[in-house]
Structures are given as structure tokens and as C-alpha cells.
Amino acid sequence: MRNLLILSILATSALGQTLDERVRRELPSLVETYQKLHAAPELSTQEKNTSEFLASRLRDLGYEVTERFGTYAEPDVTSYGVVAVMRNGAGPAVLVRTDMDALPVAEHTGLPYASANAGVMHACGHDVHMTALLGTAKMLVDLKSQWRGTLILIGQPSEEIARGAAAMLRAGLYEKYPRPAYAIAIHDWALLPAGKVSYRPGFIMAASDAIDITVRGQGGHGATPEKTKDPIVVAADLVLALQRIVSRETSALDPVVLTVGSIHGGTKRNIIPDEVKLLLTLRTYKSEVRTRVIEAIERTAKGVATSAGIPADLAPIITIHPGEATPATYNDPALVERLAAAVRREIGASEVVDGDQVMVSEDFGRFSDGRKIPTAMLFLGAGDPQQISAGTAPALHSSKFAPPAEVTLRTGVRALTSMVLELMAGK
Ligand SMILES: [Zn+2]
Ligand SMILES: [Zn+2]
């Protein structure tokens, strides 16, 4: 009788504790985890220590963990993917994804826990995502009586080069583990104040294509250009002509960005080289627009070369890298509205705001398996509100990006946990 009484008191106090109270209790340890991860960033395909850290924490929490999951197209590159599973009776399988990689950026935040790995920085906040996932993993263990089904937490490598999701799927993520009914994620957002979450149904992030153009000419002496076909002048023309595809051939209602991010040719001021190499990134939303722009890039490159008198056998070579392409990220409207409603109940209606479409890209959309699995990614505020209103907040990928850790992590864990509970509470 006495034992029963104690049990019922314990149960009441456990139930009486709000998610926020639980998260607040974990917060010092979450901040410590975040600072550790932040200080030890690793580049895409090199997430060895990061993945081991994530895996061991998840194993300590009682998850069944697989490491080094994934297969890249290059057989000699190791995929450091982490898959952590918790089976908890009959119910839906839900996949929650964090990415793990950092960027080749030299950190200039001046923080005491700044990167100790020179020239590498968690400038996209994947350390925030990993910490929020670990916090959520802990909450869901503590609240195991409140959900049913199979929870699949994944640590994805190589998001920044858009190859990690494909590597994990290629290795049989959906065959070796239960195929999820839903796949969800959060991404931090530097221009959204910490404490807030934003979301948008439908398309949220652009498709991305990596395209190289090699302009070929006939080199010679810099003093006698008339005896050459100068690929540098052709490349200069081409850089401007490519922008006309965006401004003159594309509807203003169809977003397109075409950026030449790298251009290299020549060795010396008085030598006209044989070739110039341009590296482009293309961002689009609609697949028909993407196809048409790629065709227009080929036509424009060839046309500019022809008009400069370059013979057909030296026409520009256009190379598209399918391994670096990502589809547009699409939020299943019904799913994202359902998740946003759950987050609103947890953090307050005023803290959940409408998100914008952006031209950055993500490979998270691959987990939808061609939109057969409803997926959703919500944005987590990670900016200092004062800096945002003053217009001085550093963006993602900036060497000065420094999210306010406590508020960002607390909101991240509350949001992600409430999203999972919404999908798995058996309602
Ligand atoms: Zn990024
Ligand atoms: Zn990112």
C-alpha cells in the first residue's frame, strides 16, 4: 500500500513536469555539449570524431546505434553516417535528421569555445542541430510512456557538399531500417531571432546544380591576339551573357540564380591561354525551369564561342555534376501545419512565424524519396534579436555566426520533441 502510494506520487510529479521544465534542467549539459561540438568542427566526409561523439551519446541513452553508415559514389571515401533506433511498440516510424559537417571558414567570433580546428568552423550551425537532436533523444527516453512506434535518429554527413543524404539512402537506409512514415528536421536560421521558429508549406529551398564550363581557345602571344582565339575574352563575355538567361529568358515569377563563383585561366600577363574554367552554381525551384536554364547555358556558351570565331571542335565543354545536385526542398503542407501547431502549443503562438522561400539548398529533400514520404523542415531562430533589427546579424556561413546558445538550444529541443510527440503520441 505504502509502495503504491509512493509510486503514484512519483507518477504524478513526473507527469506534472512540463517539457520546458525538463529541457531547462538539461540546459547546462546541452550548452556544454554544444560548446564541445562547436570547438571541434570537421569538414564534409571527415566527420569521424563528431560521428563517434554523437553515436556514443545516443548509445548511452539506450538507442541501438550503427556507425559509419552510408556509401559514397567514390568507394575509397568513408561515410560517417549515424543511425540510432529506439523501438517502442506498435506505431509509426519517424525519422529525425541532423547533419554533422562544418565549413572551410576561419572562425572570427572571439568566443571562448571557438573552433580549435584552424580554418574549419560550424558556421552553418550543424552543431546546434546535433545538440538539439541529442536533447530531443534524451527527452524522448524520459517520456517513453507518451509515444509509440519506432524512432530513427540519424546523423547525416556531408550536407554542405550535398552528398550525405544520397550516401545514406544508397547504403539502404530505408531497407535496413523501417521505412519512415515521416521524415523531419530543423535548420537554424541566423536572421530569425533565437526563441522563434518559422515554417512554410510547400517549396522552401531551391534545387541546386553544380555546372562547369571549360571555354577553349587557341593560345599564343599576348602581343598578337589576332593570331589566337582568346578564351579569356570569350569567358568575360560569357559571364555577362549568362545573366541574360536569368533576366531576359526567365519569367520574373520563376526564381533563378546563376552565379559564376570561380573563374580561372592563364599563367602570365603576356600569354593568351588555351582555356578558361568557370565554376557555376544554379538555383531554381521548378524542374522545367531548371531544364530550360541548363539548355540555355549550353546554347549561350556555344553561341558566344562561335561568335568569337572559335571552331566547332573547340566548342566549350559543359559538365554537370549530378552527385552535387540537390532537388528543391518541399515541405508536405499537411505535415508541416500539423508540426507547427504542435510547436505553437509548446513555445507559444507568437513565437511561431511564417518563413520565406530561400535560394539556398539542402539535401534533406532526398529523404522524401521523390515526395513519397511526407517530409518537413522547420527553421529555428538562431540570431541575436538586437543585431537582427540593427541589420548587423551575421548570416549562416559567416565567420562571425554565433547563435545565442541557451535560447536557441532550449527552443530547438522543445520544438523538435513536441514535433516527434505529435507524430508518435498515438492520436
Ligand atoms: Zn550550410
Ligand atoms: Zn546547414
Side-chain angles (χ1 to χ4, degrees):
M1 185 65 194
R2 192 161 160 258
N3 281 351
L4 262 182
L5 192 66
I6 289 168
L7 270 178
S8 82
I9 290 167
L10 281 175
T12 313
S13 67
L15 283 175
Q17 198 173 32
T18 66
L19 177 59
D20 191 29
E21 283 162 351
R22 291 174 184 275
V23 175
R24 276 173 188 272
R25 215 174 45 211
E26 283 306 308
L27 207 51
S29 113
L30 289 170
V31 170
E32 200 186 310
T33 297
Y34 167 69
Q35 293 180 348
K36 263 188 201 156
L37 287 166
H38 188 82
E42 291 174 303
L43 291 173
S44 310
T45 73
Q46 298 171 24
E47 308 89 342
K48 182 178 178 291
N49 297 330
T50 307
S51 62
E52 284 172 4
F53 177 84
L54 192 68
S56 80
R57 290 292 180 96
L58 289 166
R59 208 171 270 129
D60 290 348
L61 287 168
Y63 288 79
E64 187 189 301
V65 181
T66 308
E67 290 181 69
R68 300 196 175 197
F69 188 86
T71 308
Y72 289 114
E74 305 83 345
D76 55 328
V77 183
T78 303
S79 166
Y80 290 106
V82 175
V83 185
V85 178
M86 184 160 285
R87 294 170 212 272
N88 188 22
V94 173
L95 181 145
V96 186
R97 176 266 214 169
T98 178
D99 34 20
M100 302 188 291
D101 51 335
L103 286 160
V105 171
E107 179 161 352
H108 291 124
T109 59
L111 290 167
Y113 53 91
S115 169
N117 187 359
V120 183
M121 176 186 174
H122 268 301
C124 202
H126 298 183
D127 47 357
V128 171
H129 308 166
M130 286 186 276
T131 311
L133 183 101
L134 284 170
T136 300
K138 163 89 168 91
M139 292 302 132
L140 291 167
V141 168
D142 293 350
L143 298 170
K144 213 171 166 186
S145 62
Q146 295 186 25
W147 58 276
R148 288 281 172 273
T150 303
L151 180 61
I152 306 158
L153 307 177
I154 61 166
Q156 183 208 303
S158 296
E159 187 283 319
E160 293 291 354
I161 55 169
R163 284 164 45 192
M168 294 188 82
L169 290 165
R170 190 181 291 122
L173 182 66
Y174 289 171
E175 290 79 39
K176 293 181 181 149
Y177 300 93
R179 184 179 166 88
Y182 307 100
I184 61 173
I186 51 170
H187 200 297
D188 58 357
W189 200 249
L191 303 180
L192 180 70
K196 292 193 187 292
V197 165
S198 79
Y199 79 103
R200 183 186 176 97
F203 285 114
I204 56 163
M205 284 193 259
S208 163
D209 283 282
I211 302 169
D212 301 349
I213 304 178
T214 306
V215 174
R216 297 180 294 170
Q218 290 165 337
H221 201 292
T224 55
E226 73 280 8
K227 295 200 169 68
T228 72
K229 300 291 179 204
D230 186 348
I232 291 208
V233 173
V234 173
D237 266 354
L238 181 56
V239 169
L240 296 177
L242 288 171
Q243 294 312 314
R244 291 199 287 273
I245 300 170
V246 181
S247 69
R248 300 292 85 186
E249 296 187 32
T250 305
S251 162
L253 301 175
D254 286 327
V256 173
V257 172
L258 185 53
T259 291
V260 179
S262 165
I263 174 164
H264 284 100
T267 52
K268 196 168 181 289
R269 71 179 78 245
N270 62 352
I271 300 173
I272 292 173
D274 285 324
E275 64 173 47
V276 175
K277 210 157 187 178
L278 291 80
L279 308 184
L280 284 64
T281 185
L282 169 65
R283 307 296 168 105
T284 53
Y285 269 95
K286 292 183 187 160
S287 65
E288 60 272 24
V289 173
R290 173 183 175 272
T291 306
R292 197 180 45 67
V293 172
I294 290 173
E295 282 165 8
I297 291 169
E298 288 173 337
R299 168 171 49 76
T300 304
K302 285 181 180 151
V304 170
T306 304
S307 74
I310 290 176
D313 63 335
L314 287 178
I317 299 168
I318 286 109
T319 312
I320 298 167
H321 299 280
E324 289 178 48
T326 57
T329 310
Y330 181 81
N331 273 344
D332 180 86
L335 174 63
V336 80
E337 291 291 359
R338 188 176 161 198
L339 297 174
V343 177
R344 253 183 224 115
R345 284 194 297 276
E346 175 59 31
I347 68 170
S350 62
E351 302 303 296
V352 180
V353 297
D354 291 342
D356 292 324
Q357 266 187 333
V358 291
M359 296 311 288
V360 298
S361 302
E362 251 283 348
D363 64 358
F364 173 68
R366 289 197 186 280
F367 292 110
S368 74
D369 190 18
R371 284 212 227 161
K372 291 196 278 290
I373 295 170
T375 56
M377 171 178 273
L378 283 77
F379 288 119
L380 174 68
D384 176 291
Q386 264 113 45
Q387 286 185 344
I388 291 170
S389 45
T392 57
L396 289 183
H397 290 203
S398 155
S399 63
K400 296 199 166 80
F401 175 57
E406 289 202 358
V407 183
T408 304
L409 295 171
R410 181 179 152 217
T411 311
V413 177
R414 292 175 77 191
L416 206 47
T417 305
S418 58
M419 283 156 66
V420 175
L421 289 174
E422 167 65 26
L423 299 175
M424 303 187 82
K427 276 178 273 179

